[in-house]
Amino acid sequence: KLQFLYLIAGACHGAARPACPPAGRRGAAPPVIVMTDDGRWWARRTVTVMQFNALCRIYEPGHIPCARWDARWPKIKQQITKYACDIISLQECNPVSEYRSWFGGKYDIYFASKSGHQGSSVRSNLTAADLLGHVNDTDDGAAVCLKKGCFDLRHAQVLDCMDPAGSLARQFALMLHVHHHRSGRPMLLVSMHMKANNYTTKDDPIRLVHLPQILDQINHYRYKVLASSGEWLPLLFTGDFNAAPKDPTMEYLLSGEVTCAPPRTGPDMLPLPPVTLKHQFQFRSAMRDGLSALPGAPEDAEMPFTILDSSYSGGQTAWWSTLDYILYEEPTAPVPPDCRHAARLHLTSAVTPLMVDKDELKDAVAVTGSDHVPIVAEFALL
C-alpha cells in the first residue's frame, strides 16, 4: 500500500523571483520563497536530489532472508527511474557493475568501495577518473550519480576518517564540487554511509568520532575554494546516517553541539569524562522542513520512517526507523567577509513514498527493492 506524500516547503513553481528572506533562528520554520517572475526563470535554478540506500547484494540472504537480487533489482531501478533526479546519492550500491551497465549512459557515477581501490585501502588518493571507473562487486560501497549534461565537475574526493583506536575506518564520505549549468551556480555535494552500530545513548559514540573529521575536511576545502576564487559553496550533505532523529548524531548535526562520553579504547575500557563537540555548519533537514510546512504537522518532526524491515523479528512484525537524511545549510547563514560570490540552496519541496500500513506490509523491499525507501528533495540554487 503506497501513498505519495508531497511535502511542500515554500512555493514550488509559480510566479516570483525570490527576495532574500530574513534570517531566522536555527531550527525555526524555513523561510517561504515568494516568486514574481515566470516559471522558466525558476525552473532553470532547480536541482532534484535522491537519497537511497539500495541494500547490497552481498548482504543476501542474511540481512533480509526473503529478498533476492533478481527480484529486487527491477524495483530498485523503478525507484530511480520514477524520479529521474539530477543527483542520486546511493549507499550499498553493490554490485556497482549493474548500476554502471544500466544507467551509466545517463549519469556519471562516482563510486568508492569500503575496501579501497586497486589494492590500496587509502581512498583519499583516488582521482575523479578512478571514481568514475571503479568497479568492486565484492564489497559494500557508495556513489554519487550526476545526470549527464546538468553539471561540470570541478573536484571529486573521498574523505577518509580514523577509528578511535587510530586505524583507518571503513566509513568514508564522497565529496563532489560541481557547477550547475542552468543556474550557473556552484555547489558542494557530500554523501556518507555512517557506522551502523545504532547507538541510542551518548556512550561510545563512534559516529561522533568520524563526523568531526569529515566536517573538518569539508570546511578546509570550502575555505580553499574561497581563497582561490572568492566563491562560497553551498553544501548538501546526504546519506544513510544510521541515526534516529533524537540520537546524539543528529543532535550534533542539526544543533551544532552535543556533549557525549568519548569512545573507550585500550584493555581497561575505563569510562572517560564527557566532552562537548561543536561545529559551525548550520544544517537543516529537508524532510523535516517539508513536513513542518504541512497544516497540523508536529513541530520538528522527521519522516515516520526511511527503513522498514521485519527480518529482525523473523518476519512477524515490522521494525522501522528514520535513518536517511538530506541536509542543507540555512539559506540565510552568514558567509565569510572576504566572500565575493555566495550561492544559496533554498528548499522548494520534498517527497517520499510512504507505506501507510507498516504492520501489513512489513518490509519496504516489496516496493522499493531495499529495506530503505528513497527520499527526494528539490532545491533552488540562487
Side-chain angles (χ1 to χ4, degrees):
K1 293 183 180 180
L2 278 178
Q3 74 174 13
F4 290 94
L5 178 61
Y6 290 86
L7 308 176
I8 307 301
C12 286
H13 300 289
R17 185 167 305 205
C20 183
R25 63 177 178 84
R26 180 179 294 194
V32 174
I33 300 174
V34 181
M35 293 170 281
T36 56
D37 215 349
D38 63 69
R40 289 172 296 178
W41 181 92
W42 186 254
R44 287 197 300 270
R45 284 151 178 80
T46 56
V47 59
T48 51
V49 183
M50 170 183 279
Q51 157 56 33
F52 189 22
N53 179 324
L55 181 58
C56 278
R57 183 178 64 183
I58 60 172
Y59 292 161
E60 300 173 1
H63 195 72
I64 299 183
C66 64
R68 291 296 182 272
W69 177 253
D70 289 345
R72 294 197 297 113
W73 181 226
K75 295 182 174 66
I76 293 170
K77 291 192 290 186
Q78 184 181 42
Q79 295 300 308
I80 295 172
T81 304
K82 180 190 305 180
Y83 297 101
C85 289
D86 302 317
I87 301 164
I88 304 172
S89 167
L90 293 172
Q91 296 79 43
E92 298 192 24
C93 50
N94 162 281
V96 70
S97 60
E98 296 268 12
Y99 290 85
R100 292 198 185 282
S101 175
W102 172 58
F103 75 125
K106 296 181 179 179
Y107 287 83
D108 292 322
I109 302 174
Y110 296 88
F111 168 81
S113 63
K114 289 184 175 178
S115 56
H117 182 58
Q118 297 181 343
S120 172
S121 61
V122 180
R123 297 162 298 236
S124 57
N125 295 331
L126 298 179
T127 65
D130 292 332
L131 297 172
L132 275 174
H134 182 33
V135 174
N136 183 343
D137 287 347
T138 62
D139 196 10
D140 190 355
V144 175
C145 313
L146 303 179
K147 185 177 286 185
K148 290 182 182 291
C150 289
F151 305 93
D152 284 331
L153 180 74
R154 302 294 173 85
H155 180 73
Q157 182 179 346
V158 178
L159 308 179
D160 278 324
C161 55
M162 307 299 288
D163 278 332
S167 57
L168 183 69
R170 277 175 58 80
Q171 286 69 38
F172 64 89
L174 272 173
M175 181 178 72
L176 272 61
H177 172 188
V178 301
H179 184 269
H180 184 234
H181 286 170
R182 295 192 305 269
S183 67
R185 299 290 196 270
M187 61 189 302
L188 198 59
L189 313 171
V190 179
S191 174
M192 187 174 184
H193 190 184
M194 297 188 194
K195 194 170 179 65
N197 286 54
N198 297 320
Y199 295 106
T200 55
T201 71
K202 290 181 170 61
D203 295 328
D204 301 331
I206 305 298
R207 288 189 293 266
L208 292 175
V209 172
H210 295 163
L211 259 176
Q213 299 176 62
I214 298 297
L215 294 181
D216 281 350
Q217 293 176 77
I218 296 170
N219 212 31
H220 175 79
Y221 181 77
R222 284 217 296 188
Y223 275 95
K224 180 180 176 181
V225 171
L226 177 66
S228 63
S229 68
E231 286 186 330
W232 187 245
L233 303 178
L235 173 63
L236 269 181
F237 191 13
T238 68
D240 174 1
F241 295 166
N242 270 308
K246 302 299 183 183
D247 281 0
T249 298
M250 297 313 300
E251 180 184 346
Y252 173 64
L253 283 169
L254 293 176
S255 73
E257 181 177 337
V258 70
T259 300
C260 59
R264 293 166 290 179
T265 59
D268 52 11
M269 297 293 287
L270 294 175
L272 299 172
V275 297
T276 298
L277 302 174
K278 297 183 180 181
H279 68 77
Q280 298 302 313
F281 297 89
Q282 295 191 25
F283 286 125
R284 307 186 69 100
S285 165
M287 307 313 288
R288 177 183 293 186
D289 284 351
L291 187 61
S292 66
L294 293 177
E299 184 179 357
D300 289 340
E302 283 287 353
M303 298 306 303
F305 63 90
T306 64
I307 183 171
L308 179 66
D309 184 6
S310 65
S311 62
Y312 300 103
S313 64
Q316 299 302 309
T317 58
W319 176 87
W320 66 89
S321 185
T322 298
L323 304 178
D324 300 80
Y325 301 87
I326 298 174
L327 304 186
Y328 67 109
E329 285 190 284
E330 168 63 61
T332 58
V335 298
D338 51 345
C339 169
R340 297 195 300 272
H341 308 285
R344 301 288 195 173
L345 279 167
H346 291 262
L347 178 70
T348 66
S349 65
V351 57
T352 190
L354 289 182
M355 276 60 82
V356 296
D357 190 341
K358 299 187 293 294
D359 293 329
E360 182 176 333
L361 189 62
K362 293 184 181 178
D363 289 296
V365 69
V367 177
T368 69
S370 171
D371 50 349
H372 290 249
V373 299
I375 55 176
V376 175
E378 181 189 74
F379 296 90
L381 266 165
L382 304 178

